[in-house]
């Protein structure tokens, strides 16, 4: 999040689609009891260093979700389709920080964080 996210913002859930070693830099943005969901990884053998104090002081939950090998199983595809249908119908809300017309997208790119 780095410089693109105001320091006073706090989150209950952060979904990391990249799985970078910079995860400790997210700690100041997490509420107590927050969940950190790691969905993807640039490199699967890169260590992520968090201390026991980091985990305990914020009562963090770290959840790993690797669906690569099962993505094409019928039950998983069905669940994904059902979830997307619920989002499309408005039953599940997806919170977006901002939206821009596609013609203005390049002008509104967020700055890269220090960790990028």
């Amino acid at each position: 999040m780095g410089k693109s996210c105001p320091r006073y913002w706090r989150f209950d859930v952060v979904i990391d689609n990249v799985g970078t070693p910079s995860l400790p830099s997210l700690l100041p943005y997490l509420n107590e009891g927050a969940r950190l969901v790691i969905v993807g990884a640039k490199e699967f053998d890169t260590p992520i260093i968090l201390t026991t104090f980091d985990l305990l002081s914020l009562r963090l939950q770290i959840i790993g979700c690797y669906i690569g090998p099962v993505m094409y199983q019928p039950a998983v595809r069905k669940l994904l389709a059902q979830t997307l249908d619920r989002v499309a119908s408005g039953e599940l809300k997806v919170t977006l920080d901002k939206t821009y017309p596609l013609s203005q997208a390049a002008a509104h790119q967020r700055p890269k964080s220090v960790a990028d």
Side-chain angles (χ1 to χ4, degrees):
M1 286 184 221
K3 296 177 183 175
S4 65
C5 182
R7 193 74 170 169
Y8 56 85
W9 284 13
R10 296 287 186 269
F11 301 94
D12 294 320
V13 177
V14 171
I15 300 173
D16 178 13
N17 292 307
V18 182
T20 65
S22 64
L23 287 177
S25 68
L26 299 175
L27 295 178
Y29 300 99
L30 300 176
N31 282 323
E32 186 176 324
R35 289 168 294 216
L36 179 56
V37 183
I38 302 171
V39 177
K42 277 199 292 193
E43 299 173 11
F44 285 101
D45 60 349
T46 302
I48 297 169
I49 300 172
L50 294 173
T51 68
T52 304
F53 181 78
D54 294 333
L55 298 173
L56 297 178
S57 65
L58 287 171
R59 295 185 310 112
L60 294 180
Q61 297 177 39
I62 298 178
I63 303 163
C65 179
Y66 179 62
I67 62 170
V70 298
M71 186 62 197
Y72 295 100
Q73 292 180 2
V76 174
R77 300 293 288 184
K78 181 179 178 182
L79 179 61
L80 180 59
Q82 290 170 340
T83 302
L84 292 175
D85 286 344
R86 292 176 66 195
V87 170
S89 73
E91 182 182 351
L92 288 178
K93 302 283 185 208
V94 176
T95 303
L96 300 176
D97 179 34
K98 293 186 184 242
T99 60
Y100 303 99
L102 189 55
S103 61
Q104 297 177 16
H108 293 286
Q109 288 184 346
R110 293 180 187 264
K112 286 191 174 260
S113 72
V114 174
D116 289 336

